[in-house]
Amino acid sequence: GTMLQDTTAELSSCVMSQSQKGPGLEVKGYATSVAAELCELSGNHAAGLLVRRGGTAELVTCTVSGSTSSSGTIVRDKGSVLYARSTEFNSNHENGAYVYSAGTLDASSCTFEGNGMESGEAEGQGSLLVHSACKFSKPPVATDRGTVRQQ
């Protein structure tokens, strides 16, 4: 996979797939911001996308699918944010999206279908999954004082 730290990047029409260990793309740290458009994060052993330690990512018209042992997307740690627009989080081993340790996922017009566990999950105090106009094969869940909110 690819890890981006202390940088700003724009990705377009990229494929990050088949990583045997680690996520397809990791966005790590407060100084790290990544915008991806028309990208495919598929078939990775770990998450397709991991946002942590205050990183910010934006996915527009992307596909995050087929993670073989994890969730499609993981957003963890206070200050970590994923903005997803018109993106598919489908057919992942665990959750389509997993938000914990006070991370934030803001999803609009996204699809969460055919995942092994939950479509989307916000776990723990301060964790937030906000969604609007999304399609879920089953409703997203809030666990251990996490928050799921429809806008």
Side-chain angles (χ1 to χ4, degrees):
T2 301
M3 184 181 88
L4 298 174
Q5 184 171 359
D6 300 328
T7 188
T8 298
E10 290 186 19
L11 308 172
S12 182
S13 302
C14 64
V15 176
M16 295 183 184
S17 65
Q18 312 304 319
S19 174
Q20 296 306 303
K21 58 183 181 197
L25 176 61
E26 180 176 347
V27 179
K28 178 181 173 186
Y30 280 97
T32 309
S33 176
V34 176
E37 187 172 14
L38 297 169
C39 289
E40 177 187 328
L41 306 171
S42 66
N44 294 291
H45 177 71
L49 173 65
L50 170 61
V51 183
R52 67 188 189 112
R53 294 197 183 164
T56 301
E58 180 182 20
L59 299 180
V60 179
T61 321
C62 293
T63 301
V64 183
S65 66
S67 293
T68 58
S69 74
S70 184
S71 296
T73 282
I74 296 173
V75 185
R76 55 175 275 208
D77 307 324
K78 186 174 176 64
S80 298
V81 182
L82 169 60
Y83 299 96
R85 307 284 175 260
S86 303
T87 290
E88 296 181 0
F89 300 90
N90 298 341
S91 305
N92 295 288
H93 181 73
E94 292 181 353
N95 298 334
Y98 180 45
V99 183
Y100 73 103
S101 293
T104 299
L105 168 59
D106 184 333
S108 66
S109 302
C110 294
T111 305
F112 299 80
E113 295 187 321
N115 296 291
M117 291 169 62
E118 302 297 341
S119 293
E121 179 178 359
E123 179 182 334
Q125 182 107 27
S127 297
L128 175 63
L129 192 167
V130 181
H131 61 93
S132 62
C134 292
K135 186 174 172 188
F136 295 96
S137 52
K138 53 185 172 182
V141 296
T143 54
D144 192 26
R145 294 174 306 185
T147 303
V148 172
R149 189 169 69 229
Q150 184 168 0
Q151 300 220 123

